[in-house]
Amino acid sequence: EDLRVIFIKLADRLHNMQTLSAVPPQKQKRIALETDDIYAPLAYRLGMHHLAGELHDLSFPYLHPKESEWLTKTATEHYDSRRAYLENLKPIVEAKLKENGLKASTIDFRAKRISSLYDKLLRHDMDMDKIYDLVAIRLIFETSAECYEALGIIHKYWRPLPGRIKDYIAFPKPNGYQSLHTIVFTGDGGVVEIQIRTEEMHRDSEYG
């Protein structure tokens, strides 16, 4: 009946997972499975994406040790190359927004978590080249109106991938998550995901 109890339980579980290597091996998988099946989804349901993702990632090596080792090695190179590509794209996006009288309060990058990446790879034949949101560029504005204006500007210069425009501002996810998502062709063979939201939406997305 008191939501603060759940926050304490989630914090306790996070600490348990961060120190799970000290637990006897026969208990590790049970605790990791419980975390992955119960605690992480609970955090996600409360809109606490950062915590939910961390709990999933901490559980993953204990539940899928071989896959975790392979993915960590394989993904690192792809993460680095995608991040470098977006670093070069960032000033171009800023310039296009400025040309149209718009300025983002923040432009940063979001790397897909290992556990989430694995789930998506299973749906795409384990082909890393099919994962367009491995690293996404994130534009943060003060108002929702600016978010929609920015989406229009992005699509003015870069053609969107059909069927991959998602409006979670008008239609939030059940846990309250709000953002605009689009995947665009950048004209040089690149395909990137761009997420657009307000500062308040971003704060709520990370911490619930």
Side-chain angles (χ1 to χ4, degrees):
E1 296 178 2
D2 190 334
L3 196 59
R4 292 174 297 179
V5 174
I6 296 178
F7 295 152
I8 292 170
K9 288 294 294 181
L10 288 171
D12 181 53
R13 178 51 58 122
L14 176 62
H15 180 262
N16 290 344
M17 291 304 300
Q18 289 170 337
T19 57
L20 193 59
S21 59
V23 174
Q26 62 271 24
K27 291 185 178 181
Q28 290 175 344
K29 188 169 183 177
R30 177 184 60 79
I31 295 172
L33 185 63
E34 184 180 66
T35 300
D36 201 57
D37 284 352
I38 299 174
Y39 287 91
L42 178 59
Y44 180 82
R45 185 66 184 84
L46 293 171
M48 304 166 73
H49 291 81
H50 182 77
L51 176 58
E54 194 167 357
L55 290 173
H56 277 308
D57 274 2
L58 288 169
S59 303
F60 190 72
Y62 296 97
L63 301 176
H64 309 282
K66 292 181 180 179
E67 293 86 345
S68 177
E69 184 178 356
W70 171 81
L71 197 54
T72 300
K73 291 179 181 178
T74 304
T76 299
E77 181 180 343
H78 287 269
Y79 275 132
D80 292 344
S81 63
R82 297 278 183 95
R83 175 66 184 250
Y85 180 81
L86 290 184
E87 289 283 5
N88 292 328
L89 184 65
K90 178 181 176 181
I92 300 174
V93 172
E94 285 181 300
K96 296 302 182 185
L97 292 173
K98 186 177 180 180
E99 285 177 23
N100 290 269
L102 200 60
K103 178 178 174 60
S105 56
T106 304
I107 298 180
D108 61 12
F109 309 105
R110 186 275 297 145
K112 200 165 191 65
R113 289 184 173 275
I114 289 293
S115 55
S116 179
L117 175 59
Y118 180 68
D119 289 341
K120 201 158 192 177
L121 281 169
L122 289 175
R123 302 195 299 271
H124 291 86
D125 305 316
M126 302 305 286
D127 186 350
M128 197 74 74
D129 291 330
K130 293 180 180 178
I131 310 301
Y132 300 132
D133 61 341
L134 183 64
V135 181
I137 188 167
R138 190 159 48 198
L139 312 179
I140 299 177
F141 296 91
E142 292 185 3
T143 68
S144 297
E146 288 176 317
C147 292
Y148 285 106
E149 186 178 353
L151 182 66
I153 294 169
I154 294 297
H155 289 170
K156 177 181 176 182
Y157 295 101
W158 295 290
R159 184 165 57 91
L161 190 64
R164 300 301 291 270
I165 304 169
K166 299 177 181 178
D167 186 349
Y168 295 121
I169 293 180
F171 301 97
K173 290 186 177 182
N175 63 1
Y177 176 83
Q178 289 185 289
S179 185
L180 298 175
H181 291 190
T182 184
I183 295 177
V184 298
F185 298 99
T186 54
D188 57 359
V191 181
V192 300
E193 176 171 293
I194 299 177
Q195 301 177 355
I196 309 170
R197 63 185 67 162
T198 67
E199 294 178 3
E200 182 179 5
M201 291 172 192
H202 180 61
R203 185 171 59 251
D204 290 348
S205 164
E206 292 293 297
Y207 306 114

